[in-house]
Amino acid sequence: MTQTQNILVTGATGTVGRQVVAELLTRGHRVRALTRNAAKADLPAGVEVVEGDLTDPDTLTPALEGVTGLHLITFGGAYFAPLQTGPRILELARAAGVRRVTVLHGGEGTPLEDAVRADDGVDWTVLMPVEFMANALEWADGIVSRDEVREPFVSRLSAMVHEGDIGAVAAVALTEEGHGGQEYVITGPEVLTVADKVAAVAGARGRAVSLVELTEEQAVEQWRAAGHTDEVIGFLLEAYGNTPEIGRTVTDTVEKVTGRPARTFRQWAQEHAEAFGPHA
């Protein structure tokens, strides 16, 4: 067990940020969570919630007091634009005595991540998870209302990762030696098709789910109706229609860093079965 440390988690109310917070608490560390709206944070008891904005780094000064580790995201503000404030954030972090920094990779190079990689004043670790298992929650409405999933490219392969495992890798990198200067590709323990995922969800909820394959045109129409921008739709078409090798190749990062196997999608589906139930 490592000595209790003070860790600041930015993006603490996001899918991954909540898992970083939870894992740090489980490991006995003190957690300070940064959010732009503390009243809506809804974080576990024991978390110190502080307000601040990564687009205005000087608002972080009080939050960084006494902190030894810092978890960063690369986007911020109301519209989640790539952050341009990395150098100032890191300057403040070093001045506060922060020794370790993790940054959640945003899918491509970003100014903040570039600033982290270039900083030799802290031990930094870049977290590069592939597709989140939590993305399957997007199917919940269709499954609950029609027992149906409608997706394009159903034979695509994914080594999708449990968001809790991303949080676990981050927590270790933030509190233990030996992870500075590392770039960790984080995956689940198996490669799955869409049909594999649907079958796991059906098994967890105890009721069959049909899989309907969409054409690209139908998929674009569905995504547009869901409110996705053309930029996001273009990304989805590329990611799903031509999944890069990194997204469909299993790594041993979770086990190597945390000492336990990565969790399966079947486990994730069991944990979230209620979201897919007929009366969810």
Side-chain angles (χ1 to χ4, degrees), residues 80 106 227:
F80 299 100

Side-chain angles (χ1 to χ4, degrees), residues 10 47 51:
T10 71
V47 176
E51 290 192 347

Side-chain angles (χ1 to χ4, degrees), residues 22 56 67 89 94 113 136 138 158 201 220-221:
D56 183 4
V67 164
I89 291 172
R94 289 193 306 273
E113 184 180 316
E138 296 174 1
S158 174
V201 170
V220 168
E221 183 180 344

Side-chain angles (χ1 to χ4, degrees), residues 37-78:
N37 189 337
K40 295 183 177 180
D42 190 28
L43 289 165
V47 176
E48 181 188 357
V49 180
V50 295
E51 290 192 347
D53 191 333
L54 292 172
T55 65
D56 183 4
D58 288 340
T59 65
L60 274 63
T61 301
L64 286 164
E65 247 182 76
V67 164
T68 57
L70 170 63
H71 174 70
L72 289 170
I73 55 175
T74 60
F75 298 85

Side-chain angles (χ1 to χ4, degrees), residues 53 95 104-105 156 160 190 203 210 218 229 234 261 276:
D53 191 333
L104 183 64
H105 182 66
R156 69 180 184 265
M160 62 190 331
E190 56 196 344
S210 299
Q218 289 170 326
T229 64
F276 302 102

